[in-house]
């Protein structure tokens, strides 16, 4: 019987200072949409997919060839006063189907960036590039690598580690395992414990 060795758990995750440096680099380069996306990932502990979305076969709306954009944040998920955001995260929608509601007044840097978007532009995807088009995973990851380099953040800090970084930051500030579990919308505490990487 063939036995495959499980990959070693990742031990790296970004600090808030590193995320802030990447966001500052993006702002300086005029990539405001990407900067908002990264801040939203961090503060709301969302996966990149749930923030930027991607293009999928058989999806309508904004199309590119045979694919259409979906799964990311849309302005329809945010109330008129930019005080709440409601979304069911994609990875857990089968086990935890209830919509999560975030209080945006608790994350003023994210909220202010949303408020800065002109009201006539508040339609469709929230996280868009300089042309007003939604990202796919390749263009978004390319900007992460670019601005990570400019910010002097080590290459082993990957975008996929952002949720783990937020979880570690919460733990270091005194959050309990239960609170972090709710923050990450995990179905089990065991999954949450794997996100706590810094000792």
């Amino acid at each position: 019987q063939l036995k495959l060795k499980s990959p070693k758990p990742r031990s790296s995750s970004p600090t808030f200072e590193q995320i802030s440096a990447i966001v500052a680099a993006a702002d300086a380069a005029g990539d405001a949409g990407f900067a908002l996306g990264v801040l939203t990932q961090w503060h709301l502990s969302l996966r990149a997919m749930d923030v930027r979305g991607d293009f999928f076969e058989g999806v309508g709306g904004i199309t590119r060839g045979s694919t259409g954009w979906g799964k990311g944040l849309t302005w329809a998920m945010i109330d008129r006063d930019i005080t709440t955001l409601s979304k069911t995260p994609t990875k857990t929608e089968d086990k935890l189907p209830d919509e999560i509601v975030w209080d945006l007044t608790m994350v003023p840097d994210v909220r202010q960036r949303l408020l800065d978007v002109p009201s006539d532009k508040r339609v469709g995807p929230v996280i868009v590039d300089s042309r007003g088009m939604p990202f796919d995973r390749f263009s978004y990851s390319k900007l992460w690598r670019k601005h990570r380099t400019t910010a002097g953040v080590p290459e082993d800090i990957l975008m996929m580690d952002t949720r783990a970084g937020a979880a570690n930051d919460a733990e270091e500030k005194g959050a309990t395992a239960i609170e972090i579990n709710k923050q990450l919308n995990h179905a089990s505490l065991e999954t949450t414990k794997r996100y706590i990487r810094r000792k």
Side-chain angles (χ1 to χ4, degrees):
Q1 181 179 354
L2 179 64
K3 292 186 178 180
L4 299 177
K5 187 176 180 180
S6 298
K8 184 179 179 181
R10 286 189 55 73
S11 59
S12 300
S13 63
T15 63
F16 182 61
E17 289 72 25
Q18 289 172 326
I19 290 293
S20 297
I22 291 171
V23 168
D27 281 334
D31 291 322
F34 174 81
L36 173 58
V38 171
L39 274 179
T40 304
Q41 284 179 243
W42 176 271
H43 284 300
L44 305 189
S45 299
L46 285 168
R47 297 171 183 84
M49 171 71 76
D50 284 310
V51 174
R52 57 151 168 79
D54 207 348
F55 286 82
F56 304 92
E57 291 288 343
V59 176
I62 299 173
T63 59
R64 190 176 62 188
S66 63
T67 62
W69 181 87
K71 298 192 177 182
L73 297 178
T74 68
W75 284 100
M77 299 172 182
I78 302 174
D79 71 334
R80 182 183 297 272
D81 297 325
I82 320 292
T83 57
T84 60
L85 184 153
S86 306
K87 187 182 192 330
T88 302
T90 53
K91 193 171 181 179
T92 55
E93 58 190 348
D94 292 333
K95 291 182 179 179
L96 301 168
D98 292 340
E99 198 172 60
I100 299 176
V101 180
W102 287 270
D103 181 354
L104 295 175
T105 65
M106 300 294 290
V107 283
D109 45 353
V110 171
R111 183 170 185 254
Q112 187 56 58
R113 287 170 184 263
L114 293 170
L115 286 167
D116 288 343
V117 176
S119 56
D120 63 327
K121 301 290 186 183
R122 297 174 189 172
V123 60
V126 175
I127 307 303
V128 294
D129 63 20
S130 57
R131 303 167 301 158
M133 294 299 293
F135 292 96
D136 59 29
R137 63 185 182 278
F138 302 110
S139 59
Y140 198 76
S141 295
K142 183 177 180 180
L143 285 180
W144 172 271
R145 293 190 297 271
K146 172 186 175 182
H147 297 313
R148 179 186 61 192
T149 298
T150 302
V153 174
E155 289 186 4
D156 67 336
I157 299 298
L158 307 180
M159 184 169 32
M160 64 182 285
D161 299 322
T162 303
R163 271 164 57 84
N168 280 276
D169 188 68
E171 196 259 354
E172 290 172 1
K173 288 181 168 68
T176 66
I178 294 292
E179 289 170 330
I180 298 171
N181 173 266
K182 297 299 183 186
Q183 172 186 341
L184 297 177
N185 197 41
H186 284 156
S188 74
L189 275 176
E190 288 306 311
T191 302
T192 300
K193 289 175 182 177
R194 292 200 295 270
Y195 276 64
I196 306 301
R197 298 174 179 174
R198 294 197 292 274
K199 303 302 182 185

